[in-house]
Amino acid sequence: MLRPLIQMWCQAMSNAFNLIDKLAENHSLTLDEYKILIENETVENAEYLAKKALEQRHKIYGNKVFIRGLIEISNICKNNCLYCGIRRDNTDCSRYRLTENDIYECCSEGYSLGFRTFVLQGGEDSFFTDERLCEIIRNIKHKYPDCAITLSLGERTKESYQLLFDAGADRYLLRHETANKEHYKRLHPENMSFEKRMQCLTDLKEIGYQVGCGFMVGSPFQSPLTLAQDLKFIEEFKPHMCGIGPFIAHHSTPFADCKSGTLETTLYLLSIIRLIDPKILLPATTALGTIHQSGREMGILSGANVVMPNLSPFSVRKKYELYDNKICMGDESAQSINELKSRMKKIGYDIVTDRGDYEER
Ligand code: SAM
């Protein structure tokens, strides 16, 4: 009775190991193979994946960890994404917008702390016109020519992306959220479309940005198939960066009662994504640090190579609440960079003062 079960278990394990070997070698699997790998998330497979992911990460980036100073410029958003705490219809959210000077002060503090990438992230706030953003980008670039600017400001027209790029922006993060059209519809209101999001990503790539896509792990209605589609999309789109972190419910959203994504699945997927592209810039996200106090170290040990400490002014940090209990004051704070350095040191990694670009070679 027990023997066939043990045989089946051994078979499943060796199948998954074969798939992991294949992924490590070819950086590609079929959609079905990705799905099998996702359905076979076991401790043994996760350990094997992480080992392979770290081997490849070390060949490209050694034990370096890149840092990005995250400046949350506005929590005002015209969108109504069902999962997001700063969605338009959340009337409990206390809204703010940084001034130009606030942003420059964040950069100045960040620069002296050793940050060489500034990420300007925010809701889709129409105050930030192309003109205003170009001015901000030009001023930051003028003062810190050795720094990269990453934007994460949602969907804009191709013309707008081009203007921001011409003004000096280097990278753009726009999570695709899900590569399954039906799933996308269930996470977003009717006026947002899967096609538009994908078009934005294509536009950004064509313009010449280093582009980041990504998704939430464990978002409502996600399945092994939609996750496999996410992985296949990443393999084919070839982003320079990929942001994944667990979905965490926000109490004032339609998904308030949905359960969060898990630490284990997020780590498992980080390792898979590292094997899809050994050079990818892969953050151990704040959401990962929120669901587990060592989440970011575990992310690094699963193949991530970037952390994004918070550089926003203390007075607004709590207001950029995408999900409940988001960490923003402790070691994830840019001001605590020394604590973060020693936490990384303890696991054998070095935070470096570097733009941390995608390794094209
Ligand atoms: N407005 C920009 C955009 O749409 O790309 C940037 C800000 S948006 C809030 C940044 C990311 O936060 C989203 O792409 C989403 O994946 C993530 N996010 C939003 N709500 C979340 C939640 N409840 N749990 C985890 N991540 C969440």
Side-chain angles (χ1 to χ4, degrees):
M1 188 62 197
L2 209 56
R3 193 171 285 162
L5 275 178
I6 293 173
Q7 271 171 353
M8 268 166 60
W9 180 79
C10 290
Q11 183 67 36
M13 216 167 99
S14 80
N15 281 349
F17 276 27
N18 289 342
L19 289 181
I20 295 166
D21 287 340
K22 184 176 169 194
L23 182 61
E25 196 163 320
N26 303 337
H27 313 298
S28 169
L29 291 178
T30 66
L31 186 66
D32 276 347
E33 288 170 334
Y34 280 126
K35 189 161 164 281
I36 293 171
L37 202 50
I38 289 159
E39 285 166 342
N40 285 279
E41 183 199 313
T42 61
V43 174
E44 293 78 13
N45 292 341
E47 280 173 2
Y48 191 59
L49 258 176
K51 177 175 160 281
K52 291 277 172 185
L54 286 187
E55 276 168 21
Q56 302 223 359
R57 173 240 208 270
H58 280 265
K59 273 191 211 150
I60 314 278
Y61 295 107
N63 65 347
K64 284 185 196 166
V65 174
F66 297 132
I67 45 169
R68 321 298 193 195
L70 180 62
I71 308 172
E72 295 155 336
I73 66 170
S74 170
N75 70 354
I76 297 168
C77 192
K78 71 173 177 39
N79 283 336
N80 227 358
C81 305
L82 276 71
Y83 44 83
C84 186
I86 62 168
R87 68 198 302 268
R88 186 189 62 222
D89 284 358
N90 179 9
T91 48
D92 283 344
C93 175
S94 151
R95 305 286 169 173
Y96 75 89
R97 173 187 293 136
L98 298 188
T99 64
E100 260 190 60
N101 274 337
D102 292 334
I103 298 173
Y104 301 144
E105 275 172 28
C106 294
C107 293
S108 160
E109 184 171 17
Y111 193 87
S112 31
L113 290 168
F115 289 87
R116 294 297 177 267
T117 289
F118 302 118
V119 181
L120 308 188
Q121 189 181 82
E124 292 194 21
D125 177 354
S126 58
F127 174 84
F128 285 105
T129 57
D130 296 339
E131 210 183 340
R132 287 194 169 111
L133 282 172
C134 285
E135 165 88 0
I136 294 170
I137 293 165
R138 274 194 294 269
N139 285 337
I140 298 175
K141 277 292 196 179
H142 180 72
K143 190 145 185 218
Y144 310 104
D146 53 337
C147 290
I149 297 183
T150 303
L151 302 177
S152 177
L153 300 169
E155 297 177 1
R156 303 177 78 94
T157 61
K158 188 169 187 186
E159 292 68 35
S160 167
Y161 288 146
Q162 183 71 59
L163 287 169
L164 305 178
F165 184 76
D166 294 342
D170 304 271
R171 311 186 188 124
Y172 206 103
L173 298 174
L174 182 71
R175 290 186 175 185
H176 65 286
E177 310 296 359
T178 168
N180 177 297
K181 190 174 165 177
E182 291 313 308
H183 187 208
Y184 190 92
K185 276 193 194 159
R186 299 182 82 174
L187 298 179
H188 298 95
E190 270 192 8
N191 68 333
M192 291 181 73
S193 88
F194 177 71
E195 288 78 10
K196 171 130 191 259
R197 176 117 328 204
M198 290 298 174
Q199 187 58 51
C200 285
L201 284 165
T202 307
D203 291 345
L204 289 162
K205 203 109 183 263
E206 278 174 7
I207 290 168
Y209 281 95
Q210 291 179 42
V211 182
C213 65
F215 58 90
M216 294 174 290
V217 178
S219 64
F221 317 113
Q222 191 172 68
S223 68
L225 173 65
T226 66
L227 276 176
Q229 289 171 320
D230 287 321
L231 297 175
K232 198 66 194 165
F233 169 70
I234 291 165
E235 182 196 307
E236 289 172 353
F237 179 66
K238 302 190 190 319
H240 305 85
M241 309 170 276
C242 184
I244 69 160
F247 160 76
I248 305 172
H250 184 287
H251 62 279
S252 299
T253 63
F255 292 156
D257 297 327
C258 294
K259 65 176 192 338
S260 297
T262 67
L263 172 77
E264 292 76 12
T265 307
T266 309
L267 300 176
Y268 195 73
L269 288 162
L270 281 172
S271 299
I272 295 177
I273 295 169
R274 170 63 58 206
L275 292 181
I276 292 175
D277 180 1
K279 297 180 190 168
I280 203 162
L281 296 164
L282 194 58
T285 56
T286 309
L288 193 56
T290 298
I291 57 166
H292 192 288
Q293 60 170 359
S294 305
R296 294 198 299 183
E297 285 96 319
M298 289 191 245
I300 297 294
L301 290 171
S302 301
N305 64 333
V306 174
V307 277
M308 298 171 67
N310 198 320
L311 250 189
S312 310
F314 279 101
S315 57
V316 302
R317 281 195 196 174
K318 285 235 172 289
K319 297 182 181 171
Y320 198 80
E321 197 193 37
L322 308 180
Y323 43 82
D324 288 343
N325 306 316
K326 191 184 127 193
I327 51 167
C328 58
M329 297 297 190
D331 282 4
E332 66 295 331
S333 166
Q335 288 72 9
S336 306
I337 189 72
N338 286 334
E339 284 75 8
L340 188 63
K341 277 184 185 164
S342 66
R343 284 170 74 151
M344 290 295 150
K345 197 92 202 146
K346 273 195 192 132
I347 58 165
Y349 287 84
D350 282 335
I351 285 190
V352 290
T353 297
D354 192 303
R355 274 174 55 117
D357 287 297
Y358 181 83
E359 193 63 62
E360 289 290 353
R361 282 170 297 142

